[in-house]
Amino acid sequence: MQLNRSLDGLADRKIDVSEDISRSVRDILADIRQNGDDALRRYAREFDGFNEDSFLVTRNEIDDAVANVDDKFMQILERAHNQITEFHTNQIQESWSVYKDNGVQMGQIIRPLGRVALYVPGGTAAYPSSVLMNAIPAKLAGVDDIAIFTPVKADGKVPDIILAAAACCGVNTIYKVGGAHAIAAAAYGTESIPKVDKIVGPGNAYVATAKRMVYGDVDIDMVAGPSEILIIADESANPKYIAADLMSQAEHDVLSSAILVTTSELLINKVETELTRQIKGLNRKDIITESLARYGAAILVEDIDAAFALSNDLAPEHLEILTTNPLEMLPKVQNAGSIFLGEHTPEALGDYMSGTNHVLPTGGTAKFYSPLGVYDFVKWSAYSYYPRAALSTLKDDVITFANLEGLDAHANSIAVRFEDNID
C-alpha cells in the first residue's frame, strides 16, 4: 500500500455543510423552539421510528442494563473510570482571593455549570467510552445535573453498555432522543426536557450543524471534524507499530487523516509493507484503504526539527512521537490535541484507558482549542471590594479616563461619591 508523498489532499478534507442540511436544521430548531414536545415526538417518529410518550429512560431500564452487561466489562468500565478520574482530578481549580493592605479585596470565584447535556451518538455503533470522557470531568467540576441524549430505534432500547457507562459515572437522566432535534430540545427546553447551559459530545453533520447554530443560546464544547493522527518517527521506530497506529485512525472514516513524518526513507518503505500485510485481517479495511489513499501521507524531512515544525503547523488531533528519546522531544511540541510518547503509548490507549481525554480539537484547531476537561464545565466570576479611602486614591484617574472616552456618566458615578468632601 503506497502512501502519498505530499499533503495536498488535506486541503479538501474539511466537510462543507450543504445548504440542504443547514436549512433542515434551521427548520428543526425553529419548530422545536415553537412547539416543544409535540415537535420533538414528531421528529422522533420520523427519524428514529420511536413512538412513545416519554423520552426518559427509567430506573429499571438502567438497572437491567447493568445486570445484563458482562461482569468483566463492568470491571473494565470501573478501571477506565478510575484512570480518567485520576488524570482529570488534577484539572480542578479553586477560587482565589487577594487581600491588600489598604483594605481592598478582590478575587475570582469558580462555580460549576448548572445543567449540561451529553450527546452520545447511536445508530450502527455504541460508544460507552464517550460517556466516560464527557461525564467524568463534568462530575469533577461539580455539575449536579447531567443529562445524556442518545438516539434509539423503534424498540426504544438504549444499548446496555451505554446505560452501564452512565451508571458507572452516576448519570441517571438519559433521554431517548438524538439528532438535531435532541440538540434543539437541550438548547431551548421543552415541556418535558429542561434547557441546559452547555452541550458536549460528538455527532453527525446534522448534530454538528445544530450545535453550531445554537451556540450563543447555550455553550458547546467544540464542533469536531474527522479524526486525525500524525506520527513523528526516526530510524529507530518500529514500522509494525506505525502501520497499526495509522490504520487505527484511518478506520474511523474515509475522511480521517493518518500522516507519518520521518527522517528515514527506509522506514517509509517498511511501513508501507506493514500496511499491506496488516490490513488483510481488519474488518474495516475498505474504509482504511480509502482513507489512506485520500488523506494518508508519508513525509520525508531533513531532520527532527523539521518534523516538529510541520507538525506544529498542522496542529494534529493526535500526535505520536516515536523517536529514540521521546520524552526529550516534548518541549518541541507547540500545537497538538493529545500527545503520545514512545512505542508503548499508542493512540488507542488514550481512546479508552490512559486517563487523558479523547474529546480533542481537530482540523488544526489545536492551535487555539484544548482537550475537553474539568475547566469546560465551570465558569468564573470576578469580585472586588474597595473601601472609600482606597477609591479616593484612584478617583481622579478613573474620572479622567471616563471623560477621555466621552462617558461622563461613568465619571459622575465616581465624582458623586466625593461631593461631600468627607475624607
Side-chain angles (χ1 to χ4, degrees):
M1 180 181 296
Q2 295 291 311
L3 292 169
N4 302 319
R5 294 298 190 270
S6 75
L7 300 173
D8 294 342
L10 290 183
D12 302 324
R13 183 167 167 263
K14 183 178 179 181
I15 302 176
D16 291 323
V17 177
S18 71
E19 181 55 35
D20 287 342
I21 290 178
S22 296
R23 187 183 306 109
S24 176
V25 170
R26 276 194 296 269
D27 290 345
I28 290 170
L29 297 180
D31 193 3
I32 288 179
R33 194 169 197 174
Q34 178 72 30
N35 298 304
D37 278 345
D38 287 343
L40 191 60
R41 291 192 181 94
R42 186 173 359 102
Y43 290 119
R45 288 193 299 269
E46 178 182 351
F47 296 124
D48 305 327
F50 182 64
N51 194 27
E52 295 181 15
D53 288 336
S54 176
F55 293 104
L56 193 62
V57 173
T58 67
R59 181 71 249 181
N60 285 340
E61 287 177 294
I62 297 173
D63 292 341
D64 289 344
V66 173
N68 291 337
V69 170
D70 180 79
D71 288 343
K72 183 176 181 180
F73 185 68
M74 286 302 302
Q75 292 171 4
I76 292 172
L77 280 177
E78 290 290 348
R79 188 176 187 188
H81 185 282
N82 292 338
Q83 291 280 99
I84 298 164
T85 299
E86 181 181 28
F87 178 86
H88 287 78
T89 295
N90 294 284
Q91 296 176 344
I92 297 174
Q93 297 174 310
E94 296 182 354
S95 302
W96 54 267
S97 300
V98 173
Y99 303 90
K100 303 177 74 171
D101 292 340
N102 61 358
V104 170
Q105 298 181 34
M106 61 180 67
Q108 184 170 269
I109 301 172
I110 298 176
R111 294 287 185 262
L113 301 182
R115 179 172 167 83
V116 170
L118 164 55
Y119 189 87
V120 177
T124 59
Y127 301 99
S129 61
S130 290
V131 175
L132 301 179
M133 294 291 178
N134 286 276
I136 290 171
K139 282 284 187 179
L140 289 173
V143 179
D144 289 327
D145 197 345
I146 301 172
I148 289 175
F149 290 73
T150 190
V152 295
K153 299 303 180 185
D155 62 4
K157 299 294 184 183
V158 177
D160 288 343
I161 55 176
I162 295 296
L163 296 181
C168 185
C169 295
V171 177
N172 300 313
T173 303
I174 303 155
Y175 295 107
K176 303 175 182 181
V177 58
H181 44 299
I183 301 302
Y188 305 132
T190 69
E191 296 87 340
S192 64
I193 297 177
K195 170 181 167 55
V196 303
D197 301 309
K198 185 165 188 170
I199 302 171
V200 301
N204 62 19
Y206 288 87
V207 171
T209 301
K211 285 175 66 177
R212 187 182 289 110
M213 288 182 176
V214 300
Y215 176 64
D217 293 304
V218 294
D219 192 16
I220 61 172
D221 50 350
M222 63 186 79
V223 180
S227 188
E228 58 203 32
I229 186 170
L230 188 147
I231 300 175
I232 294 176
D234 61 17
E235 65 280 354
S236 70
N238 190 321
K240 182 188 299 185
Y241 300 161
I242 293 173
D245 293 353
L246 291 173
M247 291 190 294
S248 75
Q249 288 307 293
E251 77 169 338
H252 276 296
D253 192 301
V254 296
L255 294 171
S256 296
S257 172
I259 298 170
L260 168 63
V261 181
T262 181
T263 55
S264 171
E265 186 169 4
L266 178 60
L267 181 65
I268 293 176
N269 295 332
K270 290 181 178 180
V271 168
E272 289 178 335
T273 299
E274 279 295 325
L275 287 170
T276 300
R277 183 184 68 83
Q278 292 184 37
I279 198 171
K280 294 176 182 177
L282 299 177
N283 292 331
R284 297 170 70 88
K285 60 185 177 183
D286 291 342
I287 294 174
I288 294 170
T289 299
E290 184 174 353
S291 171
L292 292 178
R294 295 174 66 183
Y295 304 114
I299 307 299
L300 184 65
V301 293
E302 183 176 347
D303 54 37
I304 285 295
D305 286 342
F308 280 96
L310 177 58
S311 175
N312 286 326
D313 184 54
L314 293 175
E317 178 189 16
H318 306 103
L319 172 62
E320 286 190 6
I321 301 177
L322 301 179
T323 60
T324 304
N325 298 300
L327 288 168
E328 295 178 7
M329 299 293 110
L330 191 56
K332 296 180 183 292
V333 180
Q334 296 298 319
N335 304 313
S338 192
I339 307 161
F340 303 86
L341 299 162
E343 64 181 13
H344 299 301
T345 318
E347 184 280 329
L349 180 67
D351 280 342
Y352 302 108
M353 295 293 290
S354 70
T356 57
N357 208 289
H358 76 201
V359 181
L360 303 167
T362 61
T365 60
K367 290 181 178 179
F368 46 85
Y369 278 131
S370 304
L372 191 74
V374 174
Y375 38 75
D376 286 294
F377 298 97
V378 297
K379 53 189 175 64
W380 297 264
S381 296
Y383 75 89
S384 56
Y385 165 77
Y386 270 70
R388 189 175 192 276
L391 177 61
S392 70
T393 66
L394 298 176
K395 66 180 179 65
D396 292 338
D397 289 346
V398 176
I399 290 170
T400 299
F401 222 136
N403 284 327
L404 283 171
E405 293 189 347
L407 301 175
D408 58 346
H410 280 62
N412 179 66
S413 73
I414 300 295
V416 72
R417 287 169 162 76
F418 295 92
E419 286 178 346
D420 54 11
N421 293 317
I422 298 175
D423 293 325

